[in-house]
């Protein structure tokens, strides 16, 4: 059992002020994996004060972008140097297959490198703006927002932390990170890596803790200028309300129920591969999972047959075993939630083609078979609500207009995918899909260079790319009156 009795505040490893901890379990066998210090409101106050001091009086926001970038690169190197250990820790904490954890950790390092480049580009960015009125000279500068709070989920623990920490640090912000209480372990390792990389004390504070306590206290804290949240819609909505009181700057990356339109001229093998990946990687616990598949009627029967045959071949087991493609769900609660959604889908008349059960040979841990439904009622929760598990719904469509209507008939709008041999059609459909991310002839590939985020109930704002940096910068105009002439309102 791992013991993590400390919080990381102001560059020090401190015991919580009100002795408290929570337990973290290995999802592959439900055994106790770690005992972790739980932050209370008093610890949040300490951490926000440390970040505030670091921002108001410390060197970090005043360093050149190049100097901040150099430290971000050292953090990237530190993550890479510990890649194998971090990946194994992520598997034990989250359950995902080891190769996926290795991708995540490598991507996390890449994210720090990417924002190191953008930090360097902030130097000398000040831009003169030509005004129609020549009596004035103006320029626009960008400055860090201040103290940022990051609250993140459990599905990509280190990667979700990096998507927030890297741009916030690049911008010159100081911050408090609260990882999910289900998967806090790699965020604590990130704190160690930033410390070794020479990040000044107080710039990054890491507070494991419960959502309703540490999370709520953090987003409500008056010393926080910006809240960056990734998680569920109900929590996002609560955070938006909490942030409203002080009119805090917020960005929200929330859930999804993303469609994948497959036209009949698609290569069936490629379609099945991307459908499988789009819903079953990370056990389907992916905000952008393409969980609603729409297949043109001429291909529907053949595609369903192939999809079910390939789904049966997916190897389920402990994520550390070679060849495993599907690990356990993250927690008992998530297992119960997804199982209940499957039972409700069957009761609502959806046709279960395969899966839906705990595998007979895996009685321990939170395993669930990959599950395929067809002919799913359009008004059912199975079709409309995010399940966040290895469950795909497949329905037929007759023409492009119907495919678009069905795809866009959703409260969510995070991602969407379209597949066809006709690239002109793909581009046309991509522009009509109501989503922040559209994939053509694939599903899920994600790049640090590109904006990430959704429309409708999927959130507000964009992470990653240059847009991710904007989340942590304020834009300021500086306007100078240069004319020797009086202004003429009072002195004529
Ligand atoms: P969650 O909303 O339950 O928890 C997310 C985080 O919020 C956790 O750290 C939790 O402790 C904290 N929290 C809970 N209550 C809080 C409160 N009252 N105040 C402040 N913080 C609080 O979500 P989850 O179950 O951890 O993650 C799954 C959800 O995240 C899914 O809906 C998924 O779609 C979404 N997600 C979205 C993206 C994206 O980029 N759009 C990425 C990953 C996950």
């Amino acid at each position: 059992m791992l013991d993590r009795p400390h919080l990381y505040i102001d560059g020090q490893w401190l015991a919580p002020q009100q002795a408290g901890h929570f337990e973290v379990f290995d999802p592959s066998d439900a055994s106790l994996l770690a005992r972790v210090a739980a932050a209370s409101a008093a610890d949040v106050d300490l951490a926000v004060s440390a970040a505030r001091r670091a921002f108001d009086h410390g060197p970090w926001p005043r360093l050149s972008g190049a100097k901040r970038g150099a430290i971000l690169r050292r953090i990237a190197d530190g993550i890479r140097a510990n890649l194998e250990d971090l990946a194994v820790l992520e598997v034990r904490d989250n359950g995902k297959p080891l190769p996926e954890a290795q991708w995540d950790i490598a991507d996390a390092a890449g994210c720090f490198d990417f924002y190191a480049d953008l930090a360097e580009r902030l130097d000398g960015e000040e831009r003169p703006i030509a005004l129609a009125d020549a009596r004035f000279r103006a320029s626009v500068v960008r400055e860090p927002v201040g103290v940022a709070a990051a609250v993140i989920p459990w599905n990509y623990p280190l990667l979700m932390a990096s998507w927030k920490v890297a741009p916030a640090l690049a911008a010159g912000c100081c911050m408090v990170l609260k990882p999910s209480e289900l998967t806090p372990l790699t965020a604590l390792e990130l704190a160690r890596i930033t410390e070794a990389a020479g990040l000044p004390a107080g710039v990054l504070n890491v507070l494991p803790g419960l959502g309703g306590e540490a999370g709520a206290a953090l987003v409500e804290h008056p010393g926080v200028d910006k809240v960056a949240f990734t998680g569920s819609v109900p929590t996002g909505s609560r955070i938006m309300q909490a942030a409203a009181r002080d009119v805090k700057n917020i960005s929200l990356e929330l859930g999804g129920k993303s469609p994948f339109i497959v036209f009949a001229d698609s290569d069936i093998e490629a379609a099945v591969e991307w459908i499988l990946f789009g819903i079953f990687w990370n056990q389907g616990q992916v905000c952008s999972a393409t969980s609603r598949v729409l297949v043109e009627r001429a291909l529907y029967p053949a595609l369903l047959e192939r999809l079910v045959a390939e789904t049966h071949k997916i190897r389920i087991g402990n994520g550390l075993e070679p060849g495993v493609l599907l690990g356990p769900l993250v927690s008992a609660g998530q297992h119960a939630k997804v199982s209940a959604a499957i039972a409700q889908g069957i009761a609502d008349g959806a046709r279960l083609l395969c899966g839906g059960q705990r595998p007979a040979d895996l009685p321990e841990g939170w395993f669930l078979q990959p599950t395929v439904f067809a002919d799913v009622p359009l008004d059912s929760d199975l079709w409309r609500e995010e399940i966040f598990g290895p469950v795909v719904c497949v329905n037929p469509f007759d023409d492009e207009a119907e495919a678009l209507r069905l795809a866009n008939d959703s409260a969510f709008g995070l991602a969407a995918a379209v597949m066809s041999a006709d690239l002109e059609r793909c581009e046309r459909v991509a522009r009509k899909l109501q989503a922040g991310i559209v994939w053509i002839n694939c599903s899920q590939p994600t790049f640090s260079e590109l904006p990430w985020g959704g429309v409708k109930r999927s959130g507000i704002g964009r992470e990653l790319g240059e847009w991710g940096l904007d989340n942590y910068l304020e834009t300021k105009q500086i306007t100078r009156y240069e004319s020797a002439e009086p202004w003429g309102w009072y002195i004529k």
Side-chain angles (χ1 to χ4, degrees):
M1 207 247 331
L2 304 171
D3 198 18
R4 297 286 181 271
H6 297 130
L7 311 167
Y8 185 62
I9 299 175
D10 207 8
Q12 294 173 289
W13 293 92
L14 301 178
Q17 293 176 71
Q18 294 161 8
H21 70 267
F22 60 94
E23 292 176 334
V24 175
F25 299 91
D26 181 334
S28 71
D29 59 6
S31 64
L32 183 62
L33 172 62
R35 218 184 290 276
V36 180
S40 65
D43 302 308
V44 167
D45 196 40
L46 206 61
V48 172
S49 304
R52 184 87 260 158
R53 266 194 315 280
F55 186 78
D56 289 344
H57 308 294
W60 190 249
R62 285 159 274 279
L63 285 180
S64 67
K67 288 205 166 124
R68 286 201 300 271
I71 291 195
L72 289 182
R73 279 189 216 291
R74 286 214 284 276
I75 297 172
D77 292 342
I79 293 173
R80 260 183 230 109
N82 290 282
L83 193 145
E84 287 307 319
D85 288 349
L86 288 168
V88 169
L89 193 59
E90 205 80 303
V91 175
R92 295 179 72 200
D93 209 0
N94 166 281
K96 64 178 67 198
L98 183 61
E100 294 186 23
Q102 288 164 334
W103 293 350
D104 291 0
I105 308 303
D107 278 359
C111 183
F112 277 94
D113 274 337
F114 176 78
Y115 282 106
D117 286 349
L118 292 200
E120 284 164 10
R121 278 203 249 147
L122 283 174
D123 289 337
E125 182 198 64
E126 181 168 345
R127 201 150 62 99
I129 303 279
L131 300 175
D133 188 333
R135 292 173 300 169
F136 295 89
R137 178 196 290 256
S139 62
V140 170
V141 295
R142 294 199 297 168
E143 297 174 343
V145 169
V147 173
V151 178
I152 57 168
W154 43 260
N155 58 343
Y156 296 88
L158 188 72
L159 192 58
M160 290 298 105
S162 304
W163 284 17
K164 292 178 171 41
V165 173
L169 297 188
C173 287
C174 297
M175 69 188 310
V176 181
L177 167 68
K178 195 207 83 65
S180 167
E181 54 270 52
L182 295 178
T183 56
L185 300 177
T186 48
L188 291 168
E189 297 309 309
L190 179 63
R192 283 182 213 290
I193 288 169
T194 60
E195 198 178 15
L199 192 70
V203 175
L204 173 67
N205 304 272
V206 179
L207 295 186
L210 305 183
E213 293 178 19
L218 180 58
V219 299
E220 283 166 17
H221 198 289
V224 167
D225 300 302
K226 150 108 207 156
V227 179
F229 173 72
T230 298
S232 64
V233 174
T235 309
S237 171
R238 262 200 297 280
I239 285 179
M240 206 168 168
Q241 288 172 42
R245 196 193 53 202
D246 296 330
V247 198
K248 286 187 181 119
N249 176 330
I250 54 168
S251 44
L252 303 173
E253 300 285 349
L254 308 178
K257 188 77 180 180
S258 300
F260 189 164
I261 300 173
V262 181
F263 285 98
D265 60 356
S266 301
D267 177 284
I268 191 166
E269 207 165 320
V272 169
E273 153 127 85
W274 286 112
I275 292 169
L276 292 173
F277 182 63
I279 187 62
F280 295 140
W281 77 305
N282 211 29
Q283 295 68 247
Q285 302 164 134
V286 181
C287 51
S288 57
T290 33
S291 50
R292 289 187 298 140
V293 177
L294 291 155
V295 183
E296 195 168 5
R297 203 172 294 275
L299 190 66
Y300 189 59
L303 187 131
L304 285 178
E305 194 180 319
R306 189 73 176 264
L307 183 62
V308 170
E310 299 303 329
T311 300
H312 280 302
K313 295 181 195 161
I314 291 175
R315 180 145 168 235
I316 312 173
N318 184 323
L320 292 174
E321 279 171 30
V324 160
L325 284 181
L326 203 87
L329 301 193
V330 73
S331 66
Q334 194 63 14
H335 192 275
K337 190 173 151 243
V338 177
S339 301
I342 292 171
Q344 187 60 49
I346 295 169
D348 287 344
R351 190 154 63 91
L352 179 68
L353 297 186
C354 65
Q357 302 286 328
R358 167 191 284 281
D361 58 337
L362 292 165
E364 309 283 330
W366 300 307
F367 293 95
L368 190 65
Q369 293 165 332
T371 302
V372 180
F373 278 100
D375 306 329
V376 181
L378 297 177
D379 58 354
S380 64
D381 281 358
L382 193 68
W383 183 255
R384 306 197 79 83
E385 295 300 325
E386 182 179 53
I387 294 172
F388 224 57
V391 181
V392 66
C393 299
V394 192
N395 272 341
F397 68 87
D398 286 309
D399 58 25
E400 187 177 312
E402 189 189 22
L404 274 165
R405 186 171 54 70
L406 292 173
N408 287 337
D409 180 16
S410 172
F412 298 102
L414 182 57
V418 53
M419 179 170 271
S420 166
D422 178 350
L423 291 182
E424 242 174 69
R425 169 158 65 186
C426 288
E427 292 290 342
R428 183 171 64 237
V429 168
R431 278 159 183 74
K432 290 182 184 160
L433 283 164
Q434 296 167 357
I437 302 149
V438 180
W439 289 292
I440 293 178
N441 290 342
C442 61
S443 173
Q444 309 300 315
T446 301
F447 301 92
S448 292
E449 298 89 334
L450 295 175
W452 183 271
V455 300
K456 299 198 255 185
R457 229 189 277 168
S458 291
I460 298 175
R462 295 291 178 270
E463 294 197 293
L464 294 184
E466 60 197 75
W467 304 269
L469 190 64
D470 291 345
N471 280 327
Y472 300 96
L473 290 168
E474 294 286 10
T475 304
K476 176 189 275 182
Q477 62 151 297
I478 301 176
T479 304
R480 195 195 312 168
Y481 186 59
E482 288 203 314
S483 170
E485 297 300 313
W487 179 233
W489 181 77
Y490 178 69
I491 303 171
K492 300 286 180 197

